[in-house]
């Protein structure tokens, strides 16, 4: 989106000879050398998972089919198994992340909230919020994260749908209660512990 680009992006591209300013600016073409002896635009058209991601993003930007540029819509995109965005089978997704970055955040957290599954498959996982505390690089409980990840890897197929529904419901609660900058490493740890208990409820 033009409003999210750096104010000097077009000026720099012209000054460096990457873009002549006569045609519409296309980041992908310009950065990969299109029209300057590099790849031509047709060679850069997305395929497979990339094409599906492009379609999702276009729908979000146009607010089609009830989608918006927000965490719930992006979570739907990252859970799209049919397109291959969410990989299952021979190659599998090993984790999933959505970051909400606040404009003018500077070097600190700036109200940014990062939503992680901390587990392999987002279709059976819940996104959990994390924010750096006052810009400090505080970590999460690695033992809890490893335990959660392994639990997800061993989910019985008979319980996957139920667990997925329960964790998505928990995710919706968090989305409605966590405002900008309202997350923390402590909340993320607590969410992981709660997710472990939810999984145990359906697998014990």
């Amino acid at each position: 989106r033009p409003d999210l680009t750096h104010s000097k992006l077009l000026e720099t591209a012209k000054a460096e000879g990457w873009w002549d300013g006569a045609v519409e600016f296309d980041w992908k073409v310009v950065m990969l050398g299109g029209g300057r002896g590099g790849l031509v635009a047709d060679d850069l058209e997305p395929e497979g998972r990339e094409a599906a991601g492009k379609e999702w993003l276009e729908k979000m930007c146009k607010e089609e089919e009830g989608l918006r540029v927000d965490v719930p819509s992006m979570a739907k995109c990252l859970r799209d198994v049919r397109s291959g965005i969410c990989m299952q089978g021979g190659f599998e997704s090993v984790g999933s992340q959505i970051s909400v970055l606040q404009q003018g955040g500077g070097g600190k957290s700036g109200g940014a909230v990062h939503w992680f599954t901390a587990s392999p498959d987002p279709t059976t996982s819940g996104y959990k919020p994390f924010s750096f505390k006052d810009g400090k690089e505080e970590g999460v409980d690695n033992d809890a994260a490893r335990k959660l990840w392994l639990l997800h890897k061993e989910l019985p197929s008979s319980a996957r749908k139920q667990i997925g529904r329960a964790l998505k419901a928990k995710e919706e609660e968090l989305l409605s209660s966590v405002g900008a900058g309202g997350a923390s490493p402590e909340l993320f740890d607590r969410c992981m512990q709660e997710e472990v208990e939810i999984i145990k409820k359906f697998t014990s």
Side-chain angles (χ1 to χ4, degrees):
R1 289 168 51 183
D3 57 316
L4 297 180
T5 61
H6 192 280
S7 59
K8 294 188 177 180
L9 173 63
L10 302 186
E11 177 185 329
T12 301
K14 286 185 71 175
E16 295 292 335
W18 302 336
W19 175 59
D20 62 12
V23 297
E24 184 179 357
F25 184 84
D26 186 318
W27 170 267
K28 183 171 59 176
V29 173
V30 171
M31 292 299 107
L32 291 180
R36 295 178 285 118
L39 296 173
V40 296
D42 288 346
D43 296 329
L44 301 174
E45 284 308 304
E47 298 178 356
R49 296 171 71 232
E50 186 185 354
K54 179 175 181 284
E55 185 178 340
W56 272 97
L57 291 173
E58 286 175 345
K59 288 179 180 178
M60 289 181 210
C61 290
K62 295 176 183 176
E63 298 191 356
E64 296 177 349
E65 299 179 17
L67 299 172
R68 298 178 60 193
V69 182
D70 58 12
V71 174
S73 294
M74 187 58 70
K76 287 182 181 179
C77 168
L78 295 173
R79 286 174 171 137
D80 183 2
V81 176
R82 182 175 295 180
S83 72
I85 290 175
C86 176
M87 296 183 290
Q88 296 179 343
F91 292 96
E92 296 183 336
S93 296
V94 294
S96 191
Q97 171 188 349
I98 302 167
S99 289
V100 181
L101 308 178
Q102 301 296 322
Q103 191 171 11
K108 296 185 178 182
S109 63
V113 179
H114 309 277
W115 295 80
F116 297 97
T117 57
S119 49
D121 185 349
T123 65
T124 54
S125 305
Y127 285 91
K128 296 165 281 294
F130 174 89
S131 284
F132 292 104
K133 203 171 183 179
D134 299 322
K136 297 176 182 177
E137 295 186 7
E138 295 188 28
V140 299
D141 186 335
N142 287 328
D143 289 336
R146 184 173 183 275
K147 181 178 182 180
L148 177 63
W149 201 89
L150 291 174
L151 269 177
H152 273 278
K153 284 295 288 182
E154 298 167 359
L155 286 183
S157 57
S158 59
R160 290 175 68 86
K161 285 187 177 180
Q162 287 179 303
I163 290 172
R165 282 195 294 267
L167 294 179
K168 286 172 196 171
K170 180 64 180 177
E171 174 184 300
E172 289 173 5
E173 289 179 20
L174 288 165
L175 282 165
S176 63
S177 62
V178 175
S184 67
E186 294 81 9
L187 175 59
F188 189 82
D189 286 345
R190 189 163 71 249
C191 289
M192 286 196 296
Q193 293 165 3
E194 291 174 355
E195 188 159 318
V196 166
E197 294 305 312
I198 290 172
I199 292 172
K200 286 181 177 179
K201 175 184 175 182
F202 289 101
T203 56
S204 60

